[in-house]
Amino acid sequence: LSRFGRTVAEQALDGVAARMAAPRAPGLDATLAGHAVGRGGADEARMTPSERKAAKAERRAERAMAEIARAIVADTDPADPFGDSVAGLEAQESVDRDGALAGTAFTLTTATDGAGGSLAFWGRAAVSGFDGREGSFALDGRAVTLMLGADRAQGRWLAGLALLSSSGEGAYRDTDPRPHDADRAMSQACASLEAAPLCRDAVREGDGTTEATLTAVVPYAAVQASENMRLWAALGRGTGEVTLRPATGGTLAADTDWSMAAAGLRGEIAPYGPVSLAVTSDALWTRTGSERTDGLAASESDTTRLRLGIEAGWTVALDGGGTLSPRLELGLRHDGGDAETGLGVEAGGGVAWRDPGSGLSLGIDARRLLAHESDGLGGWGMSVDLEWDPRPETKRGWSARLSRSHGGAATGGVAALLDPSAFPDAEDGGDSAWRAEAAHGRALANGMVGGPYARASGTLGAKGELRTGYRIGPDADHAEDATLDLWAEPGTAEGGGAVGAGLEWRW
């Protein structure tokens, strides 16, 4: 319960932080499973070609983050998080559903009213994994949270309210190899029976699965204290239910309650020459409890988290017109309470190289938990993105892209850097995913471009996917446009192929 409550609180704060940093341009801004649906109303129509290219790069990064999130979700079988059995159809459907939720969000912002304020209605989905150890018990699981909210910004102030609906599932296991008294008694009873072989697969009392639900309300507020400093705070209160299903049989359930409080700041530091600096810090407290019921004792657990992060970035002009943009991130954290505790140091960074003459661009990003007093936290993430587009101002002609990621999320700034759920387990290192795509566009009537493309993607150790298709869309990004995609996927020995069509319309 402590880890589930902490994970939901972190998901809620991610949503609140995104609202505080979001632009207030009127219009619809949405992504569906990581794919852009709308982008900031009519402002994009007034972008320069370089600004539109930056917006395209941002959307590609969002889709890449969504794919990483889906890979993290798929790494855990909801029916068997410890991997002791073969995943069934129901488990796969759950993974697919949660994978589609990752990277889904929307914001609908109204125009400024007569009082100088604007309203925004928003929603987003979040999927996070968690694990831990208590003595000889290991636990694993994930939480899926749907958020709907509304806020108003006027002058220096922003205030809003978010509604959360969360569900979690996982498992726990006793890893102590020494037999328990119950195991000895069961073994003795089995030994006295003629059907002793039937008892060989007897389960231990320390194993089982868990499910939890939570419905909560989270009010939040922020104020621009100065030109370069923003302060914010959020509270949360909710109720739910926890269900335990021991491997020995039966079901135990209890009502739960959840509370949280958080506050933080983000400030832009005066640039030091070409280097831009920013500092972010926050404090989080959560409490999750359960009532006493028949078979379950009452429980109450607290967790705390203190974070401090610094971001630095700069751009260097190269001979020949290219640019090199390094960035560095450093995060310090302290975890306390009834889960993983101790001090931790995390670092991240990356470099982006662009050569307009050749059309090549290369991005390398990496993050790593350098040290933590708790052995239960660890891991790293890395991604490489190579793109060739000799004419970025148009969709005509040839273009190609190759990307590779390993481990947890490799990008996302200090906010993502300080999120422990973004790190895979230190022992398995996480998934290694790759993707390659080549496309060619030809000019059509009315400013449209059409052409074939081929895409291959997959994870190491698993069979990849191949897709070929034909896309028709506008030659330049606009606030309002539509793209038609006709595609086919060849069959394999394990299953048949597929054909389909997709229409994406932004308004």
mmCIF file of all heavy atoms in Angstrom, residues 128-178:
data_model
loop_
_atom_site.group_PDB
_atom_site.id
_atom_site.type_symbol
_atom_site.label_atom_id
_atom_site.label_comp_id
_atom_site.label_asym_id
_atom_site.label_seq_id
_atom_site.Cartn_x
_atom_site.Cartn_y
_atom_site.Cartn_z
ATOM 1 N N SER A 128 2.766 3.342 -14.383
ATOM 2 C CA SER A 128 4.055 3.282 -13.701
ATOM 3 C C SER A 128 4.202 1.935 -13.008
ATOM 4 O O SER A 128 3.228 1.371 -12.503
ATOM 5 C CB SER A 128 4.191 4.404 -12.657
ATOM 6 O OG SER A 128 4.050 5.670 -13.254
ATOM 7 N N GLY A 129 5.418 1.433 -12.973
ATOM 8 C CA GLY A 129 5.714 0.215 -12.249
ATOM 9 C C GLY A 129 6.367 0.519 -10.911
ATOM 10 O O GLY A 129 6.926 1.600 -10.701
ATOM 11 N N PHE A 130 6.267 -0.410 -9.981
ATOM 12 C CA PHE A 130 6.940 -0.256 -8.686
ATOM 13 C C PHE A 130 7.332 -1.634 -8.189
ATOM 14 O O PHE A 130 6.725 -2.644 -8.533
ATOM 15 C CB PHE A 130 6.055 0.467 -7.660
ATOM 16 C CG PHE A 130 4.739 -0.215 -7.378
ATOM 17 C CD1 PHE A 130 4.624 -1.156 -6.372
ATOM 18 C CD2 PHE A 130 3.605 0.095 -8.111
ATOM 19 C CE1 PHE A 130 3.418 -1.778 -6.100
ATOM 20 C CE2 PHE A 130 2.394 -0.507 -7.858
ATOM 21 C CZ PHE A 130 2.295 -1.452 -6.857
ATOM 22 N N ASP A 131 8.382 -1.674 -7.382
ATOM 23 C CA ASP A 131 8.808 -2.910 -6.756
ATOM 24 C C ASP A 131 9.510 -2.559 -5.457
ATOM 25 O O ASP A 131 9.792 -1.394 -5.170
ATOM 26 C CB ASP A 131 9.711 -3.741 -7.667
ATOM 27 C CG ASP A 131 10.891 -2.941 -8.197
ATOM 28 O OD1 ASP A 131 11.510 -2.205 -7.403
ATOM 29 O OD2 ASP A 131 11.196 -3.040 -9.392
ATOM 30 N N GLY A 132 9.788 -3.552 -4.659
ATOM 31 C CA GLY A 132 10.449 -3.293 -3.385
ATOM 32 C C GLY A 132 10.704 -4.585 -2.634
ATOM 33 O O GLY A 132 10.396 -5.684 -3.104
ATOM 34 N N ARG A 133 11.273 -4.433 -1.469
ATOM 35 C CA ARG A 133 11.599 -5.586 -0.636
ATOM 36 C C ARG A 133 11.426 -5.216 0.827
ATOM 37 O O ARG A 133 11.835 -4.137 1.261
ATOM 38 C CB ARG A 133 13.039 -6.039 -0.904
ATOM 39 C CG ARG A 133 13.449 -7.304 -0.188
ATOM 40 C CD ARG A 133 14.872 -7.690 -0.554
ATOM 41 N NE ARG A 133 14.988 -8.005 -1.965
ATOM 42 C CZ ARG A 133 14.794 -9.235 -2.459
ATOM 43 N NH1 ARG A 133 14.471 -10.222 -1.654
ATOM 44 N NH2 ARG A 133 14.937 -9.456 -3.746
ATOM 45 N N GLU A 134 10.793 -6.089 1.572
ATOM 46 C CA GLU A 134 10.636 -5.940 3.019
ATOM 47 C C GLU A 134 11.122 -7.230 3.664
ATOM 48 O O GLU A 134 10.420 -8.245 3.622
ATOM 49 C CB GLU A 134 9.175 -5.679 3.390
ATOM 50 C CG GLU A 134 8.646 -4.317 2.975
ATOM 51 C CD GLU A 134 9.246 -3.190 3.805
ATOM 52 O OE1 GLU A 134 9.818 -3.494 4.874
ATOM 53 O OE2 GLU A 134 9.150 -2.037 3.388
ATOM 54 N N GLY A 135 12.330 -7.178 4.226
ATOM 55 C CA GLY A 135 12.886 -8.394 4.784
ATOM 56 C C GLY A 135 13.090 -9.424 3.689
ATOM 57 O O GLY A 135 13.759 -9.173 2.691
ATOM 58 N N SER A 136 12.490 -10.608 3.857
ATOM 59 C CA SER A 136 12.608 -11.652 2.847
ATOM 60 C C SER A 136 11.478 -11.603 1.833
ATOM 61 O O SER A 136 11.410 -12.450 0.943
ATOM 62 C CB SER A 136 12.611 -13.030 3.532
ATOM 63 O OG SER A 136 11.369 -13.268 4.191
ATOM 64 N N PHE A 137 10.594 -10.613 1.947
ATOM 65 C CA PHE A 137 9.471 -10.504 1.017
ATOM 66 C C PHE A 137 9.814 -9.548 -0.122
ATOM 67 O O PHE A 137 10.271 -8.430 0.119
ATOM 68 C CB PHE A 137 8.216 -10.003 1.738
ATOM 69 C CG PHE A 137 7.513 -11.069 2.525
ATOM 70 C CD1 PHE A 137 7.871 -11.348 3.828
ATOM 71 C CD2 PHE A 137 6.493 -11.808 1.946
ATOM 72 C CE1 PHE A 137 7.235 -12.329 4.551
ATOM 73 C CE2 PHE A 137 5.847 -12.800 2.663
ATOM 74 C CZ PHE A 137 6.212 -13.065 3.967
ATOM 75 N N ALA A 138 9.589 -9.989 -1.350
ATOM 76 C CA ALA A 138 9.737 -9.144 -2.528
ATOM 77 C C ALA A 138 8.355 -8.860 -3.093
ATOM 78 O O ALA A 138 7.472 -9.716 -3.058
ATOM 79 C CB ALA A 138 10.597 -9.835 -3.584
ATOM 80 N N LEU A 139 8.155 -7.654 -3.582
ATOM 81 C CA LEU A 139 6.865 -7.279 -4.155
ATOM 82 C C LEU A 139 7.078 -6.536 -5.448
ATOM 83 O O LEU A 139 8.109 -5.907 -5.671
ATOM 84 C CB LEU A 139 6.055 -6.440 -3.169
ATOM 85 C CG LEU A 139 6.714 -5.180 -2.620
ATOM 86 C CD1 LEU A 139 6.248 -3.960 -3.395
ATOM 87 C CD2 LEU A 139 6.388 -5.016 -1.142
ATOM 88 N N ASP A 140 6.082 -6.640 -6.323
ATOM 89 C CA ASP A 140 6.194 -6.075 -7.658
ATOM 90 C C ASP A 140 4.789 -5.735 -8.138
ATOM 91 O O ASP A 140 3.826 -6.381 -7.750
ATOM 92 C CB ASP A 140 6.839 -7.091 -8.611
ATOM 93 C CG ASP A 140 7.374 -6.454 -9.878
ATOM 94 O OD1 ASP A 140 7.022 -5.283 -10.125
ATOM 95 O OD2 ASP A 140 8.117 -7.120 -10.602
ATOM 96 N N GLY A 141 4.668 -4.712 -8.972
ATOM 97 C CA GLY A 141 3.357 -4.363 -9.502
ATOM 98 C C GLY A 141 3.409 -3.099 -10.313
ATOM 99 O O GLY A 141 4.478 -2.573 -10.625
ATOM 100 N N ARG A 142 2.228 -2.591 -10.668
ATOM 101 C CA ARG A 142 2.141 -1.358 -11.418
ATOM 102 C C ARG A 142 0.830 -0.669 -11.093
ATOM 103 O O ARG A 142 -0.123 -1.278 -10.595
ATOM 104 C CB ARG A 142 2.261 -1.605 -12.922
ATOM 105 C CG ARG A 142 1.053 -2.242 -13.575
ATOM 106 C CD ARG A 142 1.252 -2.219 -15.090
ATOM 107 N NE ARG A 142 0.092 -2.698 -15.793
ATOM 108 C CZ ARG A 142 -0.113 -3.968 -16.124
ATOM 109 N NH1 ARG A 142 0.762 -4.868 -15.743
ATOM 110 N NH2 ARG A 142 -1.187 -4.320 -16.797
ATOM 111 N N ALA A 143 0.773 0.618 -11.408
ATOM 112 C CA ALA A 143 -0.409 1.436 -11.156
ATOM 113 C C ALA A 143 -0.788 2.162 -12.439
ATOM 114 O O ALA A 143 0.074 2.700 -13.132
ATOM 115 C CB ALA A 143 -0.152 2.440 -10.035
ATOM 116 N N VAL A 144 -2.079 2.173 -12.748
ATOM 117 C CA VAL A 144 -2.629 2.886 -13.900
ATOM 118 C C VAL A 144 -3.557 3.963 -13.367
ATOM 119 O O VAL A 144 -4.473 3.675 -12.583
ATOM 120 C CB VAL A 144 -3.395 1.932 -14.835
ATOM 121 C CG1 VAL A 144 -3.969 2.690 -16.023
ATOM 122 C CG2 VAL A 144 -2.492 0.800 -15.305
ATOM 123 N N THR A 145 -3.333 5.215 -13.758
ATOM 124 C CA THR A 145 -4.107 6.338 -13.246
ATOM 125 C C THR A 145 -4.676 7.157 -14.396
ATOM 126 O O THR A 145 -3.954 7.513 -15.325
ATOM 127 C CB THR A 145 -3.242 7.245 -12.352
ATOM 128 O OG1 THR A 145 -2.795 6.488 -11.217
ATOM 129 C CG2 THR A 145 -4.041 8.446 -11.864
ATOM 130 N N LEU A 146 -5.973 7.438 -14.320
ATOM 131 C CA LEU A 146 -6.646 8.340 -15.247
ATOM 132 C C LEU A 146 -6.947 9.639 -14.514
ATOM 133 O O LEU A 146 -7.469 9.614 -13.390
ATOM 134 C CB LEU A 146 -7.940 7.719 -15.768
ATOM 135 C CG LEU A 146 -7.814 6.366 -16.465
ATOM 136 C CD1 LEU A 146 -9.185 5.876 -16.910
ATOM 137 C CD2 LEU A 146 -6.864 6.440 -17.652
ATOM 138 N N MET A 147 -6.621 10.768 -15.129
ATOM 139 C CA MET A 147 -6.793 12.077 -14.505
ATOM 140 C C MET A 147 -7.636 12.981 -15.383
ATOM 141 O O MET A 147 -7.425 13.043 -16.595
ATOM 142 C CB MET A 147 -5.424 12.739 -14.251
ATOM 143 C CG MET A 147 -4.608 12.089 -13.160
ATOM 144 S SD MET A 147 -2.901 12.722 -13.103
ATOM 145 C CE MET A 147 -2.101 11.522 -14.187
ATOM 146 N N LEU A 148 -8.582 13.675 -14.773
ATOM 147 C CA LEU A 148 -9.365 14.714 -15.425
ATOM 148 C C LEU A 148 -9.312 15.951 -14.539
ATOM 149 O O LEU A 148 -9.459 15.843 -13.320
ATOM 150 C CB LEU A 148 -10.814 14.280 -15.629
ATOM 151 C CG LEU A 148 -11.091 13.225 -16.705
ATOM 152 C CD1 LEU A 148 -12.560 12.843 -16.685
ATOM 153 C CD2 LEU A 148 -10.687 13.745 -18.083
ATOM 154 N N GLY A 149 -9.082 17.113 -15.141
ATOM 155 C CA GLY A 149 -8.963 18.317 -14.319
ATOM 156 C C GLY A 149 -9.345 19.569 -15.078
ATOM 157 O O GLY A 149 -9.586 19.561 -16.285
ATOM 158 N N ALA A 150 -9.411 20.648 -14.327
ATOM 159 C CA ALA A 150 -9.686 21.969 -14.887
ATOM 160 C C ALA A 150 -8.932 22.988 -14.058
ATOM 161 O O ALA A 150 -8.785 22.821 -12.832
ATOM 162 C CB ALA A 150 -11.185 22.269 -14.875
ATOM 163 N N ASP A 151 -8.427 24.046 -14.690
ATOM 164 C CA ASP A 151 -7.747 25.101 -13.949
ATOM 165 C C ASP A 151 -7.964 26.438 -14.641
ATOM 166 O O ASP A 151 -8.338 26.503 -15.815
ATOM 167 C CB ASP A 151 -6.249 24.796 -13.774
ATOM 168 C CG ASP A 151 -5.548 24.471 -15.081
ATOM 169 O OD1 ASP A 151 -5.710 25.234 -16.056
ATOM 170 O OD2 ASP A 151 -4.842 23.450 -15.139
ATOM 171 N N ARG A 152 -7.708 27.475 -13.885
ATOM 172 C CA ARG A 152 -7.841 28.842 -14.399
ATOM 173 C C ARG A 152 -6.548 29.594 -14.119
ATOM 174 O O ARG A 152 -6.011 29.530 -13.007
ATOM 175 C CB ARG A 152 -9.018 29.563 -13.739
ATOM 176 C CG ARG A 152 -9.173 31.020 -14.187
ATOM 177 C CD ARG A 152 -10.369 31.695 -13.543
ATOM 178 N NE ARG A 152 -10.432 33.118 -13.888
ATOM 179 C CZ ARG A 152 -10.933 33.610 -14.999
ATOM 180 N NH1 ARG A 152 -11.449 32.769 -15.895
ATOM 181 N NH2 ARG A 152 -10.952 34.905 -15.237
ATOM 182 N N ALA A 153 -6.057 30.290 -15.132
ATOM 183 C CA ALA A 153 -4.854 31.106 -15.006
ATOM 184 C C ALA A 153 -5.230 32.565 -15.207
ATOM 185 O O ALA A 153 -5.932 32.905 -16.164
ATOM 186 C CB ALA A 153 -3.805 30.681 -16.028
ATOM 187 N N GLN A 154 -4.779 33.382 -14.284
ATOM 188 C CA GLN A 154 -5.041 34.824 -14.384
ATOM 189 C C GLN A 154 -3.903 35.565 -13.706
ATOM 190 O O GLN A 154 -3.621 35.342 -12.522
ATOM 191 C CB GLN A 154 -6.377 35.183 -13.739
ATOM 192 C CG GLN A 154 -6.750 36.659 -13.877
ATOM 193 C CD GLN A 154 -8.176 36.934 -13.419
ATOM 194 O OE1 GLN A 154 -8.963 36.017 -13.218
ATOM 195 N NE2 GLN A 154 -8.507 38.209 -13.255
ATOM 196 N N GLY A 155 -3.261 36.431 -14.457
ATOM 197 C CA GLY A 155 -2.138 37.165 -13.892
ATOM 198 C C GLY A 155 -1.020 36.218 -13.494
ATOM 199 O O GLY A 155 -0.587 35.359 -14.267
ATOM 200 N N ARG A 156 -0.569 36.343 -12.255
ATOM 201 C CA ARG A 156 0.525 35.499 -11.763
ATOM 202 C C ARG A 156 0.030 34.181 -11.192
ATOM 203 O O ARG A 156 0.830 33.329 -10.814
ATOM 204 C CB ARG A 156 1.314 36.248 -10.681
ATOM 205 C CG ARG A 156 1.966 37.544 -11.163
ATOM 206 C CD ARG A 156 2.822 38.175 -10.081
ATOM 207 N NE ARG A 156 2.065 38.489 -8.872
ATOM 208 C CZ ARG A 156 2.318 38.011 -7.681
ATOM 209 N NH1 ARG A 156 3.334 37.178 -7.508
ATOM 210 N NH2 ARG A 156 1.586 38.372 -6.634
ATOM 211 N N TRP A 157 -1.292 33.969 -11.105
ATOM 212 C CA TRP A 157 -1.839 32.828 -10.384
ATOM 213 C C TRP A 157 -2.412 31.777 -11.330
ATOM 214 O O TRP A 157 -2.916 32.090 -12.407
ATOM 215 C CB TRP A 157 -2.940 33.280 -9.423
ATOM 216 C CG TRP A 157 -2.411 34.013 -8.234
ATOM 217 C CD1 TRP A 157 -2.209 35.357 -8.115
ATOM 218 C CD2 TRP A 157 -1.995 33.421 -7.005
ATOM 219 N NE1 TRP A 157 -1.690 35.652 -6.881
ATOM 220 C CE2 TRP A 157 -1.550 34.488 -6.165
ATOM 221 C CE3 TRP A 157 -1.950 32.125 -6.519
ATOM 222 C CZ2 TRP A 157 -1.079 34.266 -4.886
ATOM 223 C CZ3 TRP A 157 -1.487 31.901 -5.238
ATOM 224 C CH2 TRP A 157 -1.049 32.973 -4.436
ATOM 225 N N LEU A 158 -2.337 30.537 -10.870
ATOM 226 C CA LEU A 158 -3.008 29.414 -11.512
ATOM 227 C C LEU A 158 -3.584 28.534 -10.412
ATOM 228 O O LEU A 158 -2.889 28.217 -9.439
ATOM 229 C CB LEU A 158 -2.046 28.610 -12.377
ATOM 230 C CG LEU A 158 -2.630 27.398 -13.117
ATOM 231 C CD1 LEU A 158 -1.967 27.226 -14.481
ATOM 232 C CD2 LEU A 158 -2.453 26.093 -12.314
ATOM 233 N N ALA A 159 -4.857 28.150 -10.528
ATOM 234 C CA ALA A 159 -5.498 27.282 -9.542
ATOM 235 C C ALA A 159 -6.368 26.276 -10.268
ATOM 236 O O ALA A 159 -7.005 26.597 -11.284
ATOM 237 C CB ALA A 159 -6.334 28.097 -8.556
ATOM 238 N N GLY A 160 -6.381 25.051 -9.766
ATOM 239 C CA GLY A 160 -7.156 24.021 -10.441
ATOM 240 C C GLY A 160 -7.507 22.870 -9.528
ATOM 241 O O GLY A 160 -7.129 22.823 -8.353
ATOM 242 N N LEU A 161 -8.248 21.921 -10.106
ATOM 243 C CA LEU A 161 -8.713 20.738 -9.381
ATOM 244 C C LEU A 161 -8.629 19.548 -10.326
ATOM 245 O O LEU A 161 -9.064 19.621 -11.477
ATOM 246 C CB LEU A 161 -10.153 20.935 -8.904
ATOM 247 C CG LEU A 161 -10.741 19.822 -8.047
ATOM 248 C CD1 LEU A 161 -10.069 19.795 -6.682
ATOM 249 C CD2 LEU A 161 -12.252 20.021 -7.892
ATOM 250 N N ALA A 162 -8.078 18.433 -9.834
ATOM 251 C CA ALA A 162 -7.948 17.216 -10.627
ATOM 252 C C ALA A 162 -8.646 16.067 -9.917
ATOM 253 O O ALA A 162 -8.601 15.957 -8.685
ATOM 254 C CB ALA A 162 -6.479 16.868 -10.860
ATOM 255 N N LEU A 163 -9.298 15.204 -10.699
ATOM 256 C CA LEU A 163 -9.918 13.985 -10.206
ATOM 257 C C LEU A 163 -9.102 12.797 -10.698
ATOM 258 O O LEU A 163 -8.741 12.730 -11.878
ATOM 259 C CB LEU A 163 -11.359 13.874 -10.692
ATOM 260 C CG LEU A 163 -12.301 15.014 -10.297
ATOM 261 C CD1 LEU A 163 -13.683 14.801 -10.910
ATOM 262 C CD2 LEU A 163 -12.401 15.129 -8.785
ATOM 263 N N LEU A 164 -8.818 11.853 -9.804
ATOM 264 C CA LEU A 164 -7.982 10.707 -10.117
ATOM 265 C C LEU A 164 -8.768 9.418 -9.926
ATOM 266 O O LEU A 164 -9.525 9.272 -8.969
ATOM 267 C CB LEU A 164 -6.749 10.649 -9.205
ATOM 268 C CG LEU A 164 -5.513 11.467 -9.566
ATOM 269 C CD1 LEU A 164 -5.830 12.955 -9.565
ATOM 270 C CD2 LEU A 164 -4.385 11.168 -8.593
ATOM 271 N N SER A 165 -8.569 8.488 -10.844
ATOM 272 C CA SER A 165 -9.073 7.126 -10.696
ATOM 273 C C SER A 165 -7.914 6.185 -10.977
ATOM 274 O O SER A 165 -7.415 6.127 -12.104
ATOM 275 C CB SER A 165 -10.230 6.869 -11.666
ATOM 276 O OG SER A 165 -10.680 5.517 -11.546
ATOM 277 N N SER A 166 -7.468 5.463 -9.953
ATOM 278 C CA SER A 166 -6.271 4.626 -10.072
ATOM 279 C C SER A 166 -6.599 3.180 -9.757
ATOM 280 O O SER A 166 -7.475 2.875 -8.938
ATOM 281 C CB SER A 166 -5.175 5.108 -9.106
ATOM 282 O OG SER A 166 -4.832 6.448 -9.357
ATOM 283 N N SER A 167 -5.885 2.296 -10.411
ATOM 284 C CA SER A 167 -5.969 0.870 -10.116
ATOM 285 C C SER A 167 -4.559 0.299 -10.148
ATOM 286 O O SER A 167 -3.725 0.717 -10.953
ATOM 287 C CB SER A 167 -6.859 0.137 -11.126
ATOM 288 O OG SER A 167 -6.323 0.239 -12.438
ATOM 289 N N GLY A 168 -4.293 -0.635 -9.268
ATOM 290 C CA GLY A 168 -2.979 -1.255 -9.199
ATOM 291 C C GLY A 168 -3.099 -2.749 -9.016
ATOM 292 O O GLY A 168 -4.098 -3.255 -8.475
ATOM 293 N N GLU A 169 -2.111 -3.480 -9.488
ATOM 294 C CA GLU A 169 -2.081 -4.925 -9.324
ATOM 295 C C GLU A 169 -0.643 -5.382 -9.292
ATOM 296 O O GLU A 169 0.238 -4.724 -9.858
ATOM 297 C CB GLU A 169 -2.841 -5.629 -10.454
ATOM 298 C CG GLU A 169 -2.441 -5.208 -11.843
ATOM 299 C CD GLU A 169 -3.383 -5.748 -12.897
ATOM 300 O OE1 GLU A 169 -4.385 -6.387 -12.539
ATOM 301 O OE2 GLU A 169 -3.111 -5.530 -14.083
ATOM 302 N N GLY A 170 -0.405 -6.464 -8.598
ATOM 303 C CA GLY A 170 0.950 -6.961 -8.474
ATOM 304 C C GLY A 170 0.975 -8.258 -7.695
ATOM 305 O O GLY A 170 -0.029 -8.972 -7.598
ATOM 306 N N ALA A 171 2.110 -8.573 -7.146
ATOM 307 C CA ALA A 171 2.281 -9.822 -6.424
ATOM 308 C C ALA A 171 3.347 -9.657 -5.363
ATOM 309 O O ALA A 171 4.162 -8.738 -5.415
ATOM 310 C CB ALA A 171 2.659 -10.953 -7.382
ATOM 311 N N TYR A 172 3.329 -10.546 -4.385
ATOM 312 C CA TYR A 172 4.359 -10.572 -3.352
ATOM 313 C C TYR A 172 4.826 -12.005 -3.177
ATOM 314 O O TYR A 172 4.093 -12.966 -3.446
ATOM 315 C CB TYR A 172 3.825 -10.017 -2.021
ATOM 316 C CG TYR A 172 2.600 -10.720 -1.494
ATOM 317 C CD1 TYR A 172 2.720 -11.789 -0.601
ATOM 318 C CD2 TYR A 172 1.324 -10.310 -1.861
ATOM 319 C CE1 TYR A 172 1.598 -12.435 -0.104
ATOM 320 C CE2 TYR A 172 0.200 -10.943 -1.377
ATOM 321 C CZ TYR A 172 0.337 -12.006 -0.502
ATOM 322 O OH TYR A 172 -0.777 -12.649 -0.023
ATOM 323 N N ARG A 173 6.081 -12.150 -2.750
ATOM 324 C CA ARG A 173 6.671 -13.483 -2.629
ATOM 325 C C ARG A 173 7.660 -13.497 -1.492
ATOM 326 O O ARG A 173 8.419 -12.537 -1.298
ATOM 327 C CB ARG A 173 7.374 -13.868 -3.931
ATOM 328 C CG ARG A 173 8.381 -14.994 -3.776
ATOM 329 C CD ARG A 173 8.934 -15.439 -5.099
ATOM 330 N NE ARG A 173 7.900 -16.083 -5.889
ATOM 331 C CZ ARG A 173 8.108 -16.534 -7.130
ATOM 332 N NH1 ARG A 173 9.277 -16.367 -7.700
ATOM 333 N NH2 ARG A 173 7.149 -17.135 -7.786
ATOM 334 N N ASP A 174 7.658 -14.600 -0.764
ATOM 335 C CA ASP A 174 8.645 -14.815 0.281
ATOM 336 C C ASP A 174 9.863 -15.459 -0.352
ATOM 337 O O ASP A 174 9.800 -16.576 -0.862
ATOM 338 C CB ASP A 174 8.067 -15.712 1.375
ATOM 339 C CG ASP A 174 8.995 -15.818 2.581
ATOM 340 O OD1 ASP A 174 10.097 -15.240 2.517
ATOM 341 O OD2 ASP A 174 8.614 -16.464 3.563
ATOM 342 N N THR A 175 10.981 -14.729 -0.349
ATOM 343 C CA THR A 175 12.203 -15.224 -0.998
ATOM 344 C C THR A 175 13.119 -15.981 -0.045
ATOM 345 O O THR A 175 14.201 -16.410 -0.448
ATOM 346 C CB THR A 175 12.982 -14.053 -1.605
ATOM 347 O OG1 THR A 175 13.340 -13.136 -0.555
ATOM 348 C CG2 THR A 175 12.130 -13.317 -2.640
ATOM 349 N N ASP A 176 12.716 -16.148 1.223
ATOM 350 C CA ASP A 176 13.543 -16.862 2.194
ATOM 351 C C ASP A 176 13.583 -18.345 1.813
ATOM 352 O O ASP A 176 12.546 -19.006 1.780
ATOM 353 C CB ASP A 176 12.944 -16.688 3.592
ATOM 354 C CG ASP A 176 13.895 -17.197 4.675
ATOM 355 O OD1 ASP A 176 14.871 -17.895 4.325
ATOM 356 O OD2 ASP A 176 13.648 -16.896 5.860
ATOM 357 N N PRO A 177 14.768 -18.881 1.525
ATOM 358 C CA PRO A 177 14.846 -20.300 1.127
ATOM 359 C C PRO A 177 14.598 -21.259 2.272
ATOM 360 O O PRO A 177 14.345 -22.434 2.044
ATOM 361 C CB PRO A 177 16.274 -20.435 0.581
ATOM 362 C CG PRO A 177 17.062 -19.388 1.332
ATOM 363 C CD PRO A 177 16.098 -18.243 1.545
ATOM 364 N N ARG A 178 14.670 -20.781 3.505
ATOM 365 C CA ARG A 178 14.463 -21.672 4.648
ATOM 366 C C ARG A 178 12.994 -22.034 4.773
ATOM 367 O O ARG A 178 12.118 -21.178 4.644
ATOM 368 C CB ARG A 178 14.944 -21.001 5.936
ATOM 369 C CG ARG A 178 16.447 -20.737 5.961
ATOM 370 C CD ARG A 178 16.816 -19.924 7.178
ATOM 371 N NE ARG A 178 16.139 -18.636 7.157
ATOM 372 C CZ ARG A 178 16.219 -17.732 8.126
ATOM 373 N NH1 ARG A 178 16.933 -17.996 9.216
ATOM 374 N NH2 ARG A 178 15.583 -16.586 8.026
#
